[in-house]
Amino acid sequence: MNVLVYLLPIALGLGFLGLVGFLWALKSGQYDDLDGAAARILDDDDIRKPGL
Amino acid sequence: MSPAIDYSALVETRPDGSRRLELAVEGITCAACIGDIERGLATVPGLDRARLNYTNRRLAADWTAPQFDPGAIVARLAELGYKAHPFEASREEARDEAEMRFLLRCLAVSGFAAMNIMLFSVSVWSGNVSDITPETRDLFHWISALIALPAAAYAGQPFFRNALRALRNRSMTMDVPISLGVCLALGMSLYETIHSAEHAYFDSAVMLLFFLLLGRVLDQVMRRKTRAVAGNLLALRGETAVVLGEDGQARETPVKGVRPGDRVLVRPGDRVAVDGEVISGASEVDASLVTGETAREPVGPGSLVYAGTVNVSGALTVRVTAAAEGTLLQEVNRLVETAAGARSRYLRLADRAARIYSPVVHVTALATAIGWLAAGAGLHAAIITAIAVLIITCPCALALAVPATQVVASGGLFRAGVLLQSGEAIERLAACDTVVFDKTGTLTTPDPRIVNRAELDPGLLALAARLALSSRHPLASALAAEARGQRPFEGATETPGQGVSAVVEGEPARLGSAAFCGAEAQAQTVLGASPDATVICFAHGARRAVILMRQVLRPDAVAVVAELKRAGYELAILSGDREEPVARVAAQLGVENWRAGLKPAEKIAALDEFAARGRRVLMVGDGLNDAPALAAAHASISPVTAAHLAQASADALFLGDRLAPVVDAARLSRRAVAIMRQNLWIAVIYNVVAVPLAIAGFVTPLIAAGAMSGSSIIVTLNALRARLGSRPTPSPETAPSAALPPHRPATLAP
């Protein structure tokens, strides 16, 4: 059962990372415009045509 | 050109020194508009950043240069074809926003805790039936406690706070049994962990919080959505008024910045933005939005004018007054307040369920403890069983039943072109069995349409429409809608109060009053036949056209009325207009029960008669004079073109020219409420099955976890059914957007 000594912290740490990630996303306003995000992903404006 | 608008009152200075203006943008129909607007604004010099929020149709514009004029943003958007109105988020909206973020953080924390504790719980459950050592189980329980206690202390705040407040007020809400259940479950589990027992309920306690928070978040989503709709509408209508300064200089100011005593110039064709007394000028006003009266009313010095009326012919100078004693506005305000007070007594379905729920749960838990003690069980066993009852009865499914359905149903209503202003409106809409319509602006279109199209030369009409693009007169805007996609004539000039003129194909063209076009004789003949209509004349060279305009029935009004009749609704028309036009509309629609010439108080009295007969009335109206009736009716809907106070009093707004959203609202809300009831019954059945098990002492943490998540998932899936059966909006022309619909051509006859 010694394997628990490092498996438990790893499992909890991963979950905690997920939580921190969500809170960061929430804080940085990524949930403010859900419909817009769905549309913006299709916008390929950042790909400039050569010569432009 | 109109004077520059002063936006300074609405610009917000941010902590880093930059400035921000928020605008509600009108005319956004698809996702491509995001790129259009943001790229279009990138060329405005001095503007650092513009970002459009597609969900709520708002644009945040940031800049740092102090001399930057935010008017440039509005002007650029107008060039791009979007109307924008500066916007100030209401305090309630900001508070809702903060509450939403807090609830989401709580939800995240409880979700994280629930998942990780479940990791240990599943290990313990499978270990208990195989070979887990007591030491490992204790370790797992202690780690669970270490996660659960701080997580519950944080994520449980929304419930604990409300429960404390309720107890202080000696009232009972759902939060009290929830808080009690969670605290007891955690306390008992901690006690059991200390004594190395086999079962601990940490997972149940935290999962409970997670599901309950989910319900709260959905509720908040609903509230935020309805609030954003109301806020945008306020900004979109956000008129400006031309205020005359001490020096006589005219300055266009948002209505918010206009104070009583200010002198306001109302140009012909403008909608009056304030209430006040005319000091100088003479004109006619169209008060159809205020009183429902379709005939023009002459005004001069000393007359009172109301916000929402349209100044038709001459320029007026108006001194702004606050709602003075004895005026129509004051009476309407008083009636609305009284009526709104009565409505707030409505008890929501969820609250009614909660009211029965709390005492039943507490009594059952207490009875369980006493029963087991009486049956000779030890104190420890009796308390554990009672707590298991509290855990198993905790209202996860109940908490999700209503909000989940509301959110799904409001999405369906939104697609049908109905914007809800409050979540409980769905329940009230569903209960209605009578529909009462106002006439002007509700059954009829809010602005006049061409009625004598058949008698007009199409070529001449097309020219007139194109010339109308250069006019800002309200009659002209209806005509201009005919000129789809055309550009205004170059060099067209508008003479205020008279009309527009230009040189077309080498010959002078004029559009405006009969005198302006030299067509008095023809106008007299046309008007003689229909005295309640208005004319707009067009002259091109020697040719003359007299265009007759009148408010006509909405395109699908006859079909909608027939459909409502078929569905078994009792119908009535209550109008403030004169008898003759009301009778005509009622006859066209086949509505027998109609009354004309009603004052606001008389409309309420008429609604009371319905109520006395046990009918529940859905009021559909748009005028200022309808506002009290809208507030007094069991439920109410306004078209998006309605007067402010009417919109504020209505439960929902519908977009577009068609009346069909009213039928959809009635149908979809009935369906949603049926699903809510089903959901509540699912929650009840779940309890009927699970509670006896808990009382008998058979509930283990495993059963509690399964039952809780099972019932919550079933209820949520059932709520998703509210999405089915919402009829998709038929054409892009009537597609709902949070913005006002663009002007559409009139292709209808009365």
Side-chain angles (χ1 to χ4, degrees):
Chain A
M1 278 306 187
N2 287 336
V3 71
L4 288 179
V5 172
Y6 56 87
L7 274 187
L8 285 184
I10 289 175
L12 287 178
L14 285 175
F16 192 71
L17 272 182
L19 176 67
V20 171
F22 175 79
L23 291 179
W24 168 80
L26 183 65
K27 203 178 166 68
S28 64
Q30 306 214 8
Y31 290 90
D32 288 354
D33 182 15
L34 294 174
D35 297 350
R40 279 172 202 274
I41 190 83
L42 300 174
D43 188 18
D44 55 3
D45 241 44
D46 47 341
I47 307 168
R48 295 262 166 243
K49 291 192 195 95
L52 272 176
Chain B
M1 208 35 223
S2 58
I5 301 182
D6 185 6
Y7 289 122
S8 52
L10 299 168
V11 174
E12 170 198 359
T13 306
R14 317 226 302 150
D16 61 353
S18 68
R19 282 148 215 261
R20 165 170 287 192
L21 181 69
E22 293 216 38
L23 304 113
V25 184
E26 190 177 335
I28 296 176
T29 47
C30 65
C33 298
I34 303 176
D36 271 3
I37 290 178
E38 289 181 356
R39 274 193 298 278
L41 286 176
T43 59
V44 176
L47 185 64
D48 297 338
R49 208 179 92 102
R51 190 162 172 96
L52 183 78
N53 185 325
Y54 185 59
T55 312
N56 56 18
R57 264 74 169 170
R58 287 180 193 164
L59 180 84
D62 294 332
W63 68 92
T64 41
Q67 69 279 8
F68 179 75
D69 174 21
I73 305 170
V74 180
R76 180 81 184 110
L77 282 172
E79 278 172 39
L80 294 168
Y82 301 93
K83 252 165 127 179
H85 303 272
F87 170 90
E88 192 186 33
S90 68
R91 205 171 304 145
E92 288 88 11
E93 213 172 302
R95 208 174 46 213
D96 278 356
E97 196 68 32
E99 178 73 14
M100 182 73 183
R101 278 167 184 262
F102 177 61
L103 282 175
L104 275 176
R105 277 202 303 271
C106 289
L107 184 73
V109 168
S110 63
F112 157 78
M115 276 193 293
N116 284 287
I117 295 171
M118 201 47 90
L119 188 83
F120 295 105
S121 296
V122 171
S123 314
V124 170
W125 297 336
S126 54
N128 274 346
V129 292
S130 54
D131 60 349
I132 196 168
T133 60
E135 294 75 35
T136 314
R137 186 169 61 214
D138 280 354
L139 172 69
F140 282 9
H141 279 168
W142 275 115
I143 297 177
S144 300
L146 218 59
I147 303 170
L149 293 175
Y154 182 79
Q157 283 179 78
F159 305 101
F160 302 154
R161 271 191 317 212
N162 287 345
L164 273 181
R165 194 178 313 138
L167 287 180
R168 236 177 264 140
N169 299 337
R170 297 179 185 287
S171 63
M172 190 51 103
T173 62
M174 203 101 107
D175 293 315
V176 177
I178 290 170
S179 304
L180 198 64
V182 169
C183 290
L184 283 177
L186 288 172
M188 183 259 268
S189 302
L190 194 62
Y191 177 87
E192 297 285 283
T193 303
I194 292 170
H195 291 89
S196 301
E198 218 172 284
H199 294 308
Y201 286 91
F202 292 115
D203 56 299
S204 301
V206 179
M207 194 161 61
L208 242 170
L209 283 177
F210 176 73
F211 280 125
L212 292 168
L213 281 165
L214 203 58
R216 291 288 151 101
V217 167
L218 288 176
D219 212 25
Q220 192 68 22
V221 165
M222 185 72 201
R223 186 169 314 161
R224 204 165 61 139
K225 220 188 227 173
T226 54
R227 186 100 67 191
V229 166
N232 271 12
L233 285 172
L234 212 65
L236 291 187
R237 325 212 84 225
E239 307 92 327
T240 53
V242 182
V243 176
L244 295 171
E246 296 291 317
D247 48 358
Q249 187 136 39
R251 201 164 166 69
E252 197 155 347
T253 320
V255 169
K256 249 192 157 158
V258 181
R259 269 169 296 280
D262 281 353
R263 285 183 307 146
V264 169
L265 178 70
V266 186
R267 293 162 295 192
D270 275 354
R271 198 172 274 285
V272 182
V274 293
D275 301 309
E277 188 188 338
V278 177
I279 344 181
S280 65
S283 177
E284 283 180 310
V285 295
D286 171 358
S288 60
L289 190 59
V290 177
T291 58
E293 169 71 63
T294 43
R296 304 287 156 79
E297 187 191 330
V299 291
S303 320
L304 293 175
V305 288
Y306 297 102
T309 53
V310 177
N311 179 18
V312 182
S313 41
L316 294 173
T317 310
V318 174
R319 185 178 299 287
V320 182
T321 52
E325 202 68 33
T327 60
L328 174 73
L329 192 69
Q330 199 259 344
E331 190 202 347
V332 165
N333 266 325
R334 188 178 53 76
L335 288 171
V336 166
E337 268 167 36
T338 325
R343 174 177 285 181
S344 64
R345 286 199 290 275
Y346 176 79
L347 201 55
R348 300 197 308 168
L349 203 56
D351 294 338
R352 271 182 283 170
R355 211 173 253 205
I356 311 169
Y357 167 84
S358 310
V360 169
V361 166
H362 289 144
V363 169
T364 318
L366 194 65
T368 308
I370 294 171
W372 277 101
L373 281 175
L379 184 64
H380 178 245
I383 288 179
I384 284 200
T385 321
I387 291 174
V389 169
L390 272 183
I391 294 175
I392 208 88
T393 51
C394 242
C396 293
L398 210 57
L400 283 170
V402 174
T405 318
Q406 268 180 356
V407 169
V408 176
S410 77
L413 286 168
F414 183 77
R415 279 193 300 279
V418 180
L419 308 175
L420 289 177
Q421 299 218 88
S422 77
E424 66 178 53
I426 296 180
E427 293 172 33
R428 282 191 276 108
L429 276 170
C432 292
D433 51 14
T434 304
V435 184
V436 171
F437 288 101
D438 166 50
K439 182 187 74 76
T440 319
T442 307
L443 286 170
T444 64
T445 52
D447 35 38
R449 301 289 160 91
I450 303 166
V451 288
N452 63 339
R453 179 184 304 273
E455 297 150 30
L456 297 171
D457 170 9
L460 214 53
L461 184 61
L463 284 182
R466 198 168 154 200
L467 187 55
L469 287 172
S470 308
S471 171
R472 42 201 306 286
H473 194 277
L475 277 178
S477 70
L479 184 58
E482 298 277 311
R484 244 190 291 197
Q486 295 193 58
R487 297 166 56 90
F489 289 116
E490 263 172 50
T493 51
E494 180 160 28
T495 317
Q498 311 247 3
V500 268
S501 52
V503 177
V504 179
E505 295 158 9
E507 284 189 281
R510 290 181 151 209
L511 180 78
S513 66
F516 185 65
C517 303
E520 281 111 325
Q522 290 103 314
Q524 276 310 322
T525 346
V526 175
L527 265 182
S530 36
D532 63 336
T534 34
V535 291
I536 179 164
C537 295
F538 179 64
H540 183 228
R543 295 192 293 168
R544 301 277 179 276
V546 177
I547 302 160
L548 192 63
M549 303 194 92
R550 185 198 284 152
Q551 292 184 330
V552 298
L553 278 184
R554 284 180 188 263
D556 61 345
V558 176
V560 161
V561 165
E563 196 172 341
L564 285 172
K565 265 188 180 167
R566 250 199 325 276
Y569 285 95
E570 185 180 334
L571 298 176
I573 298 176
L574 299 178
S575 175
D577 201 1
R578 285 157 301 132
E579 196 144 320
E580 192 267 319
V582 182
R584 195 178 52 218
V585 165
Q588 271 176 344
L589 295 173
V591 177
E592 291 92 33
N593 188 356
W594 58 270
R595 287 192 221 172
L598 295 180
K599 296 203 166 57
E602 290 168 340
K603 285 201 179 191
I604 292 193
L607 292 184
D608 285 343
E609 285 170 32
F610 280 108
R613 283 198 287 122
R615 311 295 295 186
R616 292 204 164 133
V617 176
L618 166 61
M619 175 80 201
V620 191
D622 77 318
L624 183 63
N625 63 330
D626 294 315
L630 288 167
H634 192 71
S636 48
I637 303 187
S638 278
V640 79
T641 46
H644 290 196
L645 200 56
Q647 282 194 347
S649 311
D651 290 317
L653 303 167
F654 70 91
L655 301 169
D657 258 358
R658 301 175 325 125
L659 207 53
V662 175
V663 188
D664 290 338
R667 200 169 44 86
L668 291 176
S669 57
R670 280 191 170 187
R671 190 186 165 83
V673 169
I675 291 174
M676 284 180 202
R677 285 183 196 282
Q678 268 175 17
N679 272 349
L680 292 176
W681 277 113
I682 292 175
V684 168
I685 291 169
Y686 151 78
N687 275 311
V688 167
V689 174
V691 170
L693 284 178
I695 294 175
F698 291 136
V699 166
T700 62
L702 174 61
I703 294 179
M708 222 183 292
S709 41
S711 63
S712 301
I713 289 168
I714 292 175
V715 162
T716 311
L717 288 179
N718 193 37
L720 286 177
R721 289 196 314 122
R723 186 177 274 272
L724 305 172
S726 67
R727 160 172 37 182
T729 337
S731 72
E733 274 193 314
T734 44
S737 75
L740 292 175
H743 234 339
R744 275 186 303 281
T747 49
L748 38 123

